[in-house]
Coordinates of all heavy atoms in Angstrom, one line a residue:
M738 N -72.3 -103.3 -1.3 CA -72.4 -102.2 -2.3 C -71.0 -101.6 -2.4 O -70.4 -101.2 -1.3 CB -73.4 -101.2 -2.0 CG -73.7 -100.2 -3.0 SD -75.1 -99.3 -2.5 CE -75.4 -98.4 -3.9
T739 N -70.5 -101.3 -3.5 CA -69.1 -100.7 -3.7 C -69.3 -99.3 -4.0 O -70.4 -98.7 -4.2 CB -68.4 -101.4 -5.0 OG1 -69.2 -101.2 -6.1 CG2 -68.2 -102.9 -4.7
N740 N -68.2 -98.6 -3.9 CA -68.2 -97.2 -4.3 C -68.1 -97.0 -5.8 O -67.1 -97.1 -6.4 CB -66.9 -96.5 -3.7 CG -67.0 -96.4 -2.1 OD1 -68.1 -96.4 -1.6 ND2 -65.8 -96.3 -1.5
S741 N -69.3 -96.8 -6.3 CA -69.4 -96.6 -7.8 C -70.4 -95.5 -8.1 O -71.2 -95.1 -7.3 CB -69.8 -97.9 -8.4 OG -71.1 -98.3 -7.9
I742 N -70.3 -95.0 -9.3 CA -71.2 -93.9 -9.8 C -72.0 -94.5 -10.8 O -71.5 -95.1 -11.8 CB -70.3 -92.8 -10.3 CG1 -69.5 -92.2 -9.1 CG2 -71.3 -91.7 -10.9 CD1 -68.6 -91.0 -9.7
L743 N -73.3 -94.3 -10.7 CA -74.2 -94.8 -11.8 C -74.3 -93.6 -12.7 O -74.8 -92.5 -12.4 CB -75.6 -95.1 -11.1 CG -75.6 -96.3 -10.2 CD1 -76.9 -96.5 -9.6 CD2 -75.1 -97.5 -11.0
L744 N -73.8 -93.8 -13.9 CA -73.8 -92.8 -14.9 C -75.3 -92.4 -15.4 O -75.5 -91.3 -15.9 CB -72.9 -93.1 -16.1 CG -71.5 -93.2 -15.7 CD1 -70.6 -93.7 -17.0 CD2 -70.9 -92.0 -15.1
E745 N -76.1 -93.3 -15.2 CA -77.5 -93.1 -15.7 C -78.1 -92.0 -14.9 O -79.0 -91.2 -15.4 CB -78.3 -94.4 -15.5 CG -77.9 -95.5 -16.4 CD -78.6 -96.7 -16.1 OE1 -79.6 -96.7 -15.4 OE2 -78.2 -97.8 -16.7
T746 N -77.8 -91.8 -13.6 CA -78.4 -90.8 -12.8 C -77.7 -89.4 -12.9 O -78.2 -88.5 -12.3 CB -78.4 -91.2 -11.4 OG1 -77.1 -91.4 -10.9 CG2 -79.2 -92.5 -11.2
L747 N -76.6 -89.3 -13.6 CA -75.8 -88.0 -13.6 C -76.1 -87.4 -15.1 O -76.1 -88.1 -16.1 CB -74.4 -88.3 -13.6 CG -73.8 -88.7 -12.2 CD1 -72.3 -88.9 -12.3 CD2 -74.0 -87.5 -11.2
S748 N -76.3 -86.1 -14.9 CA -76.4 -85.4 -16.2 C -75.0 -85.1 -16.8 O -74.0 -85.3 -16.0 CB -77.1 -84.1 -16.0 OG -76.3 -83.2 -15.2
V749 N -74.9 -84.8 -18.0 CA -73.6 -84.5 -18.7 C -73.0 -83.4 -17.9 O -71.7 -83.5 -17.6 CB -73.9 -84.2 -20.1 CG1 -72.6 -83.7 -20.8 CG2 -74.4 -85.4 -20.9
Q750 N -73.7 -82.4 -17.5 CA -73.1 -81.2 -16.8 C -72.6 -81.7 -15.4 O -71.5 -81.3 -15.1 CB -74.2 -80.1 -16.6 CG -73.7 -78.9 -16.0 CD -74.7 -77.8 -15.8 OE1 -75.9 -78.0 -16.2 NE2 -74.3 -76.7 -15.3
D751 N -73.3 -82.5 -14.8 CA -72.8 -83.1 -13.4 C -71.6 -83.9 -13.6 O -70.6 -83.8 -12.7 CB -73.9 -83.9 -12.8 CG -75.1 -83.1 -12.3 OD1 -75.0 -81.8 -12.0 OD2 -76.2 -83.7 -12.0
L752 N -71.5 -84.7 -14.5 CA -70.3 -85.5 -14.8 C -69.1 -84.6 -15.2 O -68.0 -84.8 -14.7 CB -70.6 -86.5 -16.0 CG -69.5 -87.4 -16.3 CD1 -69.1 -88.3 -15.2 CD2 -69.8 -88.3 -17.5
Q753 N -69.3 -83.6 -16.0 CA -68.2 -82.6 -16.4 C -67.8 -82.0 -15.1 O -66.5 -81.8 -15.0 CB -68.7 -81.6 -17.4 CG -69.0 -82.2 -18.8 CD -69.5 -81.2 -19.7 OE1 -70.2 -80.2 -19.3 NE2 -69.3 -81.4 -21.0
E754 N -68.7 -81.5 -14.2 CA -68.3 -80.9 -13.0 C -67.5 -81.8 -12.2 O -66.5 -81.4 -11.5 CB -69.5 -80.3 -12.4 CG -69.3 -79.4 -11.1 CD -70.6 -78.9 -10.5 OE1 -71.4 -78.4 -11.3 OE2 -70.6 -78.9 -9.3
L755 N -67.9 -83.1 -12.0 CA -67.2 -84.0 -11.1 C -65.8 -84.3 -11.7 O -64.9 -84.3 -10.8 CB -68.1 -85.3 -11.2 CG -67.5 -86.4 -10.3 CD1 -67.6 -86.0 -8.8 CD2 -68.4 -87.7 -10.5
I756 N -65.7 -84.4 -13.0 CA -64.4 -84.7 -13.6 C -63.5 -83.4 -13.4 O -62.3 -83.5 -13.1 CB -64.5 -85.0 -15.0 CG1 -65.1 -86.4 -15.1 CG2 -63.1 -85.0 -15.7 CD1 -65.5 -86.8 -16.6
G757 N -64.1 -82.2 -13.7 CA -63.4 -81.0 -13.5 C -62.9 -80.7 -12.1 O -61.7 -80.4 -11.9
N758 N -63.7 -81.0 -11.1 CA -63.3 -80.9 -9.7 C -62.2 -81.9 -9.4 O -61.2 -81.5 -8.7 CB -64.5 -81.0 -8.8 CG -65.4 -79.9 -8.8 OD1 -65.1 -78.8 -9.2 ND2 -66.6 -80.1 -8.4
S759 N -62.3 -83.1 -9.9 CA -61.2 -84.1 -9.5 C -59.9 -83.7 -10.2 O -58.8 -83.8 -9.5 CB -61.6 -85.5 -10.1 OG -62.8 -85.9 -9.4
V760 N -59.9 -83.2 -11.4 CA -58.7 -82.8 -12.1 C -58.1 -81.6 -11.4 O -56.9 -81.5 -11.2 CB -59.0 -82.5 -13.6 CG1 -57.8 -81.8 -14.2 CG2 -59.4 -83.7 -14.3
K761 N -59.0 -80.6 -11.0 CA -58.5 -79.4 -10.3 C -57.8 -79.7 -9.0 O -56.7 -79.2 -8.7 CB -59.7 -78.5 -10.0 CG -59.2 -77.2 -9.4 CD -60.4 -76.3 -8.8 CE -61.3 -75.8 -9.9 NZ -62.3 -74.9 -9.4
N762 N -58.4 -80.7 -8.2 CA -57.8 -81.1 -7.0 C -56.5 -81.8 -7.2 O -55.6 -81.6 -6.4 CB -58.8 -82.0 -6.2 CG -60.0 -81.3 -5.7 OD1 -60.0 -80.1 -5.5 ND2 -61.1 -82.0 -5.4
G763 N -56.4 -82.6 -8.2 CA -55.2 -83.3 -8.6 C -54.1 -82.3 -8.9 O -52.9 -82.5 -8.5
I764 N -54.4 -81.3 -9.7 CA -53.4 -80.3 -10.1 C -52.9 -79.5 -8.9 O -51.8 -79.2 -8.8 CB -54.0 -79.4 -11.2 CG1 -54.2 -80.2 -12.5 CG2 -53.1 -78.1 -11.4 CD1 -54.9 -79.5 -13.6
Q765 N -53.9 -79.1 -8.0 CA -53.5 -78.4 -6.8 C -52.6 -79.2 -5.9 O -51.6 -78.6 -5.4 CB -54.7 -77.9 -6.1 CG -55.5 -76.9 -6.7 CD -56.9 -76.6 -6.0 OE1 -57.4 -77.4 -5.2 NE2 -57.4 -75.4 -6.3
E766 N -52.8 -80.5 -5.7 CA -51.9 -81.3 -5.0 C -50.5 -81.4 -5.6 O -49.5 -81.3 -4.9 CB -52.5 -82.7 -4.8 CG -53.7 -82.7 -3.9 CD -54.3 -84.1 -3.7 OE1 -53.6 -85.1 -3.9 OE2 -55.5 -84.2 -3.4
L767 N -50.5 -81.5 -6.9 CA -49.2 -81.6 -7.6 C -48.4 -80.3 -7.5 O -47.2 -80.3 -7.2 CB -49.5 -81.9 -9.1 CG -48.3 -82.1 -10.0 CD1 -47.3 -83.2 -9.5 CD2 -48.6 -82.3 -11.4
Q768 N -49.2 -79.2 -7.6 CA -48.5 -77.9 -7.5 C -47.9 -77.7 -6.1 O -46.8 -77.3 -5.9 CB -49.5 -76.7 -7.7 CG -49.8 -76.5 -9.2 CD -50.8 -75.5 -9.4 OE1 -51.7 -75.2 -8.6 NE2 -50.7 -74.9 -10.6
K769 N -48.6 -78.2 -5.0 CA -48.1 -78.2 -3.7 C -46.9 -79.0 -3.5 O -45.9 -78.6 -2.9 CB -49.3 -78.6 -2.7 CG -48.9 -78.5 -1.3 CD -50.1 -79.0 -0.4 CE -49.7 -78.9 1.1 NZ -50.7 -79.5 1.9
E770 N -46.9 -80.2 -4.0 CA -45.7 -81.1 -3.9 C -44.5 -80.5 -4.7 O -43.4 -80.5 -4.1 CB -46.0 -82.4 -4.6 CG -47.0 -83.3 -3.7 CD -47.4 -84.6 -4.3 OE1 -46.7 -85.0 -5.3 OE2 -48.4 -85.1 -4.0
L771 N -44.7 -79.8 -5.8 CA -43.7 -79.3 -6.6 C -43.1 -78.1 -5.8 O -41.9 -77.9 -5.8 CB -44.1 -78.9 -7.9 CG -44.4 -79.9 -9.0 CD1 -45.0 -79.4 -10.3 CD2 -43.1 -80.7 -9.3
Q772 N -44.0 -77.3 -5.2 CA -43.5 -76.0 -4.5 C -42.7 -76.5 -3.2 O -41.7 -75.9 -2.9 CB -44.7 -75.3 -4.0 CG -44.3 -74.0 -3.4 CD -43.5 -73.0 -4.3 OE1 -43.8 -72.9 -5.5 NE2 -42.5 -72.4 -3.7
E773 N -43.1 -77.6 -2.6 CA -42.4 -78.1 -1.4 C -41.0 -78.6 -1.9 O -40.0 -78.4 -1.2 CB -43.1 -79.3 -0.7 CG -44.3 -78.8 0.0 CD -45.2 -79.9 0.6 OE1 -44.8 -81.1 0.3 OE2 -46.2 -79.6 1.2
K774 N -41.0 -79.3 -3.0 CA -39.6 -79.7 -3.6 C -38.7 -78.6 -4.0 O -37.5 -78.6 -3.6 CB -39.9 -80.6 -4.8 CG -38.7 -81.1 -5.6 CD -38.5 -82.5 -5.4 CE -37.4 -83.0 -6.3 NZ -36.3 -83.5 -5.5
I775 N -39.3 -77.5 -4.5 CA -38.5 -76.4 -4.9 C -37.9 -75.7 -3.7 O -36.7 -75.3 -3.6 CB -39.3 -75.4 -5.7 CG1 -39.6 -75.9 -7.1 CG2 -38.6 -74.0 -5.8 CD1 -40.6 -75.1 -7.9
N776 N -38.8 -75.6 -2.6 CA -38.3 -75.0 -1.4 C -37.3 -75.8 -0.7 O -36.4 -75.3 0.0 CB -39.5 -74.8 -0.4 CG -40.4 -73.6 -0.8 OD1 -40.0 -72.8 -1.6 ND2 -41.6 -73.7 -0.4
S777 N -37.4 -77.1 -0.8 CA -36.4 -78.0 -0.1 C -35.1 -78.0 -0.8 O -34.0 -78.2 -0.2 CB -36.9 -79.4 0.0 OG -37.0 -80.1 -1.2
E778 N -35.0 -77.5 -2.1 CA -33.8 -77.5 -2.9 C -33.1 -76.1 -2.8 O -32.1 -75.8 -3.5 CB -34.0 -77.9 -4.3 CG -34.3 -79.3 -4.5 CD -33.3 -80.3 -4.0 OE1 -32.2 -80.1 -4.1 OE2 -33.7 -81.3 -3.3
E779 N -33.7 -75.2 -2.0 CA -33.2 -73.9 -1.8 C -31.8 -73.8 -1.2 O -31.6 -74.6 -0.3 CB -34.2 -73.1 -0.9 CG -33.9 -71.7 -0.7 CD -35.0 -71.0 0.2 OE1 -36.0 -71.7 0.6 OE2 -34.8 -69.9 0.5
L780 N -31.0 -72.9 -1.7 CA -29.6 -72.7 -1.2 C -29.7 -71.6 -0.1 O -30.3 -70.6 -0.4 CB -28.7 -72.3 -2.3 CG -28.0 -73.4 -3.1 CD1 -27.2 -72.8 -4.2 CD2 -27.2 -74.3 -2.3
L781 N -29.1 -71.9 1.0 CA -29.2 -71.0 2.1 C -27.7 -70.4 2.4 O -26.8 -71.3 2.3 CB -29.7 -71.6 3.4 CG -31.1 -72.2 3.3 CD1 -31.5 -72.8 4.6 CD2 -32.2 -71.1 3.0
T782 N -27.6 -69.2 2.7 CA -26.3 -68.7 3.1 C -26.0 -69.1 4.5 O -26.8 -69.7 5.2 CB -26.3 -67.1 3.0 OG1 -27.3 -66.6 4.0 CG2 -26.6 -66.6 1.5
R783 N -24.8 -68.8 5.0 CA -24.5 -69.1 6.4 C -25.5 -68.5 7.3 O -26.0 -69.1 8.2 CB -23.1 -68.8 6.7 CG -22.1 -69.7 6.1 CD -20.7 -69.3 6.6 NE -20.1 -68.5 5.6 CZ -18.8 -68.2 5.5 NH1 -18.0 -68.7 6.4 NH2 -18.3 -67.6 4.5
E784 N -25.8 -67.2 7.1 CA -26.7 -66.5 8.0 C -28.1 -67.0 7.9 O -28.7 -67.2 9.0 CB -26.7 -65.0 7.5 CG -27.6 -64.1 8.4 CD -27.6 -62.6 8.0 OE1 -26.5 -62.1 7.7 OE2 -28.6 -62.0 8.0
Q785 N -28.6 -67.4 6.7 CA -29.9 -68.0 6.6 C -30.0 -69.3 7.3 O -31.0 -69.7 7.9 CB -30.3 -68.1 5.1 CG -30.5 -66.8 4.4 CD -30.7 -66.9 2.9 OE1 -30.0 -67.7 2.3 NE2 -31.5 -66.0 2.4
T786 N -28.9 -70.1 7.1 CA -28.8 -71.4 7.8 C -28.9 -71.3 9.3 O -29.5 -72.1 9.9 CB -27.5 -72.2 7.3 OG1 -27.5 -72.2 5.9 CG2 -27.5 -73.5 7.9
C787 N -28.1 -70.3 9.8 CA -28.2 -70.1 11.3 C -29.5 -69.8 11.7 O -30.1 -70.2 12.8 CB -27.1 -69.0 11.6 SG -25.4 -69.6 11.6
Q788 N -30.3 -68.9 11.0 CA -31.6 -68.5 11.3 C -32.5 -69.7 11.2 O -33.4 -69.9 12.1 CB -32.1 -67.4 10.5 CG -31.4 -66.1 10.7 CD -31.7 -64.9 9.7 OE1 -32.4 -65.2 8.7 NE2 -31.2 -63.8 9.9
F789 N -32.4 -70.4 10.1 CA -33.2 -71.6 9.9 C -33.1 -72.6 11.0 O -34.1 -73.2 11.6 CB -32.9 -72.3 8.6 CG -33.6 -73.5 8.3 CD1 -35.0 -73.5 8.0 CD2 -33.0 -74.8 8.2 CE1 -35.7 -74.7 7.7 CE2 -33.7 -75.9 7.9 CZ -35.1 -75.8 7.7
L790 N -31.8 -72.9 11.5 CA -31.6 -73.9 12.6 C -31.6 -73.3 13.9 O -31.5 -74.1 14.9 CB -30.2 -74.6 12.3 CG -30.1 -75.4 11.1 CD1 -28.7 -75.9 10.8 CD2 -31.1 -76.6 11.1
K791 N -31.7 -72.0 14.0 CA -31.7 -71.3 15.3 C -30.5 -71.6 16.1 O -30.5 -72.0 17.3 CB -33.0 -71.6 16.0 CG -34.3 -71.1 15.3 CD -35.5 -71.5 16.1 CE -36.8 -70.9 15.6 NZ -37.0 -71.0 14.2
I792 N -29.3 -71.4 15.4 CA -28.0 -71.6 16.0 C -27.2 -70.5 15.8 O -27.4 -69.7 14.9 CB -27.4 -73.0 15.5 CG1 -27.2 -72.9 14.0 CG2 -28.2 -74.2 15.9 CD1 -26.4 -74.1 13.4
D793 N -26.0 -70.5 16.5 CA -25.0 -69.4 16.3 C -24.0 -69.8 15.2 O -23.9 -71.0 14.9 CB -24.2 -69.3 17.7 CG -23.3 -68.1 17.6 OD1 -23.8 -66.9 17.7 OD2 -22.1 -68.3 17.6
S794 N -23.4 -68.8 14.6 CA -22.5 -69.1 13.5 C -21.3 -70.0 13.9 O -20.9 -70.8 13.2 CB -22.0 -67.8 12.9 OG -21.3 -67.0 13.8
S795 N -20.9 -69.9 15.2 CA -19.7 -70.8 15.6 C -20.3 -72.2 15.7 O -19.4 -73.1 15.4 CB -19.3 -70.2 17.0 OG -20.3 -70.4 17.9
T796 N -21.5 -72.4 16.0 CA -22.1 -73.8 16.1 C -22.1 -74.4 14.6 O -21.8 -75.5 14.4 CB -23.4 -73.8 16.7 OG1 -23.4 -73.3 18.0 CG2 -24.0 -75.2 16.7
L797 N -22.5 -73.5 13.7 CA -22.6 -73.9 12.3 C -21.2 -74.3 11.8 O -21.0 -75.3 11.1 CB -23.3 -72.9 11.5 CG -23.3 -73.2 9.9 CD1 -24.3 -74.5 9.7 CD2 -23.9 -72.0 9.2
W798 N -20.2 -73.5 12.1 CA -18.9 -73.7 11.7 C -18.4 -75.0 12.3 O -17.8 -75.9 11.6 CB -18.0 -72.6 12.2 CG -16.5 -72.7 11.9 CD1 -16.0 -72.4 10.6 CD2 -15.5 -73.3 12.6 NE1 -14.6 -72.7 10.6 CE2 -14.3 -73.2 11.9 CE3 -15.4 -73.8 14.0 CZ2 -13.1 -73.7 12.4 CZ3 -14.2 -74.3 14.4 CH2 -13.1 -74.2 13.6
S799 N -18.7 -75.3 13.6 CA -18.2 -76.5 14.2 C -18.9 -77.8 13.6 O -18.3 -78.8 13.3 CB -18.6 -76.4 15.7 OG -18.4 -77.6 16.4
W800 N -20.3 -77.6 13.4 CA -21.0 -78.8 12.7 C -20.5 -79.0 11.3 O -20.4 -80.2 10.9 CB -22.5 -78.5 12.7 CG -23.1 -78.5 14.0 CD1 -22.6 -78.9 15.2 CD2 -24.5 -78.3 14.4 NE1 -23.5 -78.8 16.2 CE2 -24.7 -78.5 15.7 CE3 -25.6 -77.9 13.6 CZ2 -25.9 -78.3 16.3 CZ3 -26.8 -77.7 14.2 CH2 -27.0 -77.9 15.6
T801 N -20.2 -78.0 10.6 CA -19.6 -78.2 9.2 C -18.3 -78.9 9.3 O -18.0 -79.8 8.5 CB -19.5 -76.8 8.4 OG1 -20.8 -76.2 8.5 CG2 -19.0 -77.0 7.1
N802 N -17.4 -78.5 10.2 CA -16.1 -79.1 10.3 C -16.1 -80.5 10.7 O -15.3 -81.3 10.4 CB -15.2 -78.3 11.2 CG -14.7 -77.0 10.5 OD1 -14.6 -76.9 9.3 ND2 -14.2 -76.1 11.3
A803 N -17.2 -80.8 11.6 CA -17.3 -82.2 12.1 C -18.1 -83.1 11.1 O -18.2 -84.3 11.3 CB -18.1 -82.1 13.4
G804 N -18.6 -82.4 10.0 CA -19.3 -83.2 9.1 C -20.8 -83.5 9.4 O -21.4 -84.3 8.7
K805 N -21.3 -82.8 10.3 CA -22.7 -83.0 10.7 C -23.6 -82.4 9.6 O -24.7 -82.9 9.4 CB -23.0 -82.4 12.1 CG -22.4 -83.1 13.2 CD -22.7 -82.5 14.5 CE -22.1 -83.3 15.7 NZ -22.5 -82.7 17.0
V806 N -23.2 -81.3 9.0 CA -23.9 -80.7 8.0 C -22.9 -80.4 6.8 O -21.7 -80.3 7.0 CB -24.5 -79.3 8.3 CG1 -25.6 -79.5 9.4 CG2 -23.5 -78.3 8.8
K807 N -23.4 -80.5 5.6 CA -22.6 -80.3 4.4 C -22.7 -78.9 3.8 O -23.8 -78.4 3.7 CB -22.9 -81.3 3.3 CG -22.8 -82.8 3.7 CD -23.3 -83.6 2.6 CE -23.3 -85.1 3.0 NZ -23.9 -85.9 1.9
A808 N -21.5 -78.3 3.5 CA -21.5 -77.0 2.9 C -21.1 -77.1 1.4 O -20.3 -78.0 1.1 CB -20.5 -76.0 3.6
R809 N -21.6 -76.2 0.6 CA -21.3 -76.1 -0.7 C -20.5 -74.7 -0.8 O -20.9 -73.8 -0.2 CB -22.5 -76.0 -1.7 CG -23.4 -77.2 -1.5 CD -23.0 -78.3 -2.4 NE -24.0 -79.3 -2.6 CZ -24.0 -80.4 -1.8 NH1 -23.3 -80.5 -0.8 NH2 -24.9 -81.4 -2.1
G810 N -19.5 -74.7 -1.6 CA -18.7 -73.5 -1.7 C -18.6 -72.9 -3.1 O -18.6 -73.7 -4.1
L811 N -18.6 -71.6 -3.1 CA -18.3 -70.9 -4.4 C -17.3 -69.8 -4.0 O -17.8 -68.7 -3.4 CB -19.6 -70.4 -5.0 CG -19.4 -69.6 -6.4 CD1 -18.8 -70.6 -7.4 CD2 -20.8 -69.2 -6.8
G812 N -16.0 -69.9 -4.3 CA -15.1 -68.9 -3.8 C -15.0 -68.9 -2.3 O -14.9 -70.0 -1.7
A813 N -15.1 -67.8 -1.7 CA -15.1 -67.8 -0.2 C -16.5 -67.9 0.4 O -16.7 -67.9 1.6 CB -14.5 -66.4 0.3
R814 N -17.5 -68.0 -0.4 CA -18.9 -68.1 0.1 C -19.3 -69.6 0.4 O -18.9 -70.5 -0.4 CB -19.9 -67.5 -0.9 CG -19.7 -66.0 -1.0 CD -20.9 -65.4 -1.7 NE -20.9 -64.0 -1.8 CZ -21.3 -63.2 -0.8 NH1 -21.9 -63.7 0.2 NH2 -21.2 -61.9 -1.0
R815 N -20.1 -69.8 1.4 CA -20.5 -71.2 1.7 C -22.0 -71.1 1.7 O -22.7 -70.2 2.2 CB -20.1 -71.6 3.1 CG -18.6 -71.7 3.3 CD -18.1 -72.9 2.4 NE -16.6 -73.0 2.4 CZ -15.8 -72.6 1.4 NH1 -16.4 -72.1 0.3 NH2 -14.6 -72.8 1.5
Y816 N -22.6 -72.3 1.1 CA -24.1 -72.3 1.0 C -24.5 -73.7 1.5 O -23.7 -74.7 1.5 CB -24.5 -72.2 -0.4 CG -24.2 -70.8 -1.1 CD1 -23.1 -70.6 -1.8 CD2 -25.1 -69.7 -0.8 CE1 -22.8 -69.4 -2.3 CE2 -24.8 -68.5 -1.3 CZ -23.6 -68.4 -2.1 OH -23.3 -67.1 -2.5
Y817 N -25.7 -73.8 2.0 CA -26.2 -75.1 2.5 C -27.6 -75.4 1.8 O -28.4 -74.4 1.7 CB -26.4 -74.9 4.0 CG -25.1 -74.7 4.7 CD1 -24.6 -73.4 4.9 CD2 -24.4 -75.8 5.3 CE1 -23.4 -73.2 5.6 CE2 -23.2 -75.6 6.0 CZ -22.7 -74.3 6.1 OH -21.5 -74.0 6.8
L818 N -27.7 -76.6 1.4 CA -29.0 -77.0 0.8 C -30.0 -77.3 1.9 O -29.7 -78.0 2.9 CB -28.8 -78.3 0.0 CG -28.4 -78.2 -1.4 CD1 -28.2 -79.5 -2.1 CD2 -29.5 -77.4 -2.2
K819 N -31.1 -76.6 1.8 CA -32.2 -76.8 2.8 C -32.6 -78.2 3.0 O -32.9 -78.7 4.1 CB -33.4 -75.9 2.4 CG -34.3 -75.8 3.5 CD -35.4 -74.7 3.2 CE -36.4 -74.4 4.3 NZ -37.4 -73.5 4.0
S820 N -32.7 -79.0 1.8 CA -33.1 -80.4 1.9 C -32.1 -81.2 2.7 O -32.5 -82.1 3.4 CB -33.3 -81.0 0.5 OG -32.0 -80.9 -0.2
E821 N -30.8 -80.9 2.5 CA -29.8 -81.7 3.3 C -29.8 -81.3 4.7 O -29.5 -82.2 5.6 CB -28.4 -81.4 2.7 CG -28.2 -82.0 1.4 CD -26.8 -81.8 0.8 OE1 -26.0 -80.9 1.3 OE2 -26.5 -82.4 -0.3
L822 N -30.1 -80.1 5.1 CA -30.3 -79.7 6.5 C -31.4 -80.4 7.1 O -31.3 -80.9 8.3 CB -30.5 -78.2 6.6 CG -29.3 -77.3 6.1 CD1 -29.7 -75.8 6.2 CD2 -28.1 -77.5 7.0
M823 N -32.5 -80.6 6.4 CA -33.6 -81.4 6.9 C -33.3 -82.8 7.2 O -33.7 -83.4 8.1 CB -34.8 -81.3 6.0 CG -35.4 -79.9 5.9 SD -35.9 -79.2 7.4 CE -37.4 -80.3 7.7
E824 N -32.5 -83.4 6.2 CA -32.0 -84.8 6.3 C -31.1 -84.9 7.6 O -31.1 -86.0 8.2 CB -31.3 -85.2 5.1 CG -32.2 -85.4 3.9 CD -31.4 -85.7 2.7 OE1 -30.2 -86.0 2.8 OE2 -32.0 -85.7 1.6
C825 N -30.3 -83.9 8.0 CA -29.4 -84.0 9.1 C -30.2 -84.0 10.4 O -29.7 -84.5 11.4 CB -28.5 -82.8 9.1 SG -27.3 -82.9 7.8
L826 N -31.4 -83.5 10.5 CA -32.2 -83.5 11.6 C -32.6 -84.9 12.0 O -33.0 -85.7 11.0 CB -33.4 -82.6 11.5 CG -33.2 -81.2 11.3 CD1 -34.4 -80.4 11.0 CD2 -32.4 -80.5 12.5
T827 N -32.4 -85.4 13.2 CA -32.8 -86.8 13.6 C -34.0 -86.7 14.6 O -34.1 -85.8 15.4 CB -31.6 -87.5 14.2 OG1 -31.2 -86.7 15.4 CG2 -30.4 -87.6 13.3
L828 N -34.8 -87.8 14.4 CA -35.9 -87.9 15.4 C -35.4 -88.3 16.7 O -34.6 -89.2 16.9 CB -36.9 -88.9 14.8 CG -38.2 -89.2 15.6 CD1 -39.0 -87.8 15.5 CD2 -39.0 -90.2 14.9
L829 N -35.8 -87.6 17.8 CA -35.4 -87.9 19.1 C -36.4 -88.9 19.7 O -37.6 -88.8 19.6 CB -35.3 -86.6 20.0 CG -34.4 -85.6 19.4 CD1 -34.4 -84.3 20.4 CD2 -32.9 -86.1 19.5
K830 N -35.8 -89.8 20.5 CA -36.7 -90.7 21.2 C -37.2 -90.1 22.5 O -36.5 -89.4 23.2 CB -36.0 -92.0 21.6 CG -35.5 -92.8 20.4 CD -34.7 -94.0 20.7 CE -34.3 -94.8 19.5 NZ -33.5 -96.1 19.9
K831 N -38.4 -90.4 22.8 CA -39.0 -89.8 24.1 C -38.7 -90.7 25.3 O -38.6 -91.8 25.1 CB -40.5 -89.6 23.8 CG -40.9 -88.5 22.9 CD -42.3 -88.3 22.9 CE -42.6 -87.1 21.9 NZ -43.9 -86.7 21.9

């Protein structure tokens, strides 16, 4: 027996409810994915980056100069993309 729905046993109202719930769940999943994408593209200041990575500003400066993390600049200000910071993190072997 396969996973199938016999439409003969469902009322129109039950079918509408089933479709409505499926669409609602799909929309909620899409919204969650979009929110995660928006959050990952967030620009962080140096201070926010230090808080995010739980490091000192001198460590951030050193990592930036060594090319471990990429900084974006606007005038004298430096910003870091949260998504790029996440990509810099490496999985450690146990």
Side-chain angles (χ1 to χ4, degrees):
M738 188 173 193
T739 61
N740 290 337
S741 61
I742 298 174
L743 297 176
L744 296 178
E745 294 174 8
T746 61
L747 286 176
S748 69
V749 173
Q750 183 178 1
D751 290 340
L752 182 58
Q753 287 175 338
E754 188 175 316
L755 182 64
I756 292 171
N758 287 338
S759 295
V760 170
K761 185 191 294 186
N762 290 339
I764 290 172
Q765 287 173 344
E766 288 178 29
L767 181 60
Q768 286 175 331
K769 183 179 176 184
E770 289 175 19
L771 288 173
Q772 188 61 42
E773 288 173 1
K774 176 110 174 116
I775 289 169
N776 288 341
S777 68
E778 294 302 317
E779 181 179 357
L780 278 176
L781 302 176
T782 63
R783 283 185 264 193
E784 182 179 316
Q785 291 170 325
T786 302
C787 289
Q788 291 173 353
F789 176 69
L790 296 175
K791 296 180 176 44
I792 59 172
D793 189 70
S794 60
S795 61
T796 303
L797 180 61
W798 180 84
S799 174
W800 287 359
T801 303
N802 286 339
K805 291 183 179 182
V806 294
K807 296 178 186 176
R809 304 273 194 268
L811 181 62
R814 296 196 174 266
R815 297 290 174 255
Y816 298 97
Y817 298 84
L818 273 176
K819 193 173 185 179
S820 60
E821 289 181 352
L822 295 173
M823 293 300 292
E824 289 174 13
C825 291
L826 298 175
T827 57
L828 184 62
L829 301 175
K830 294 181 181 178
K831 290 185 177 183

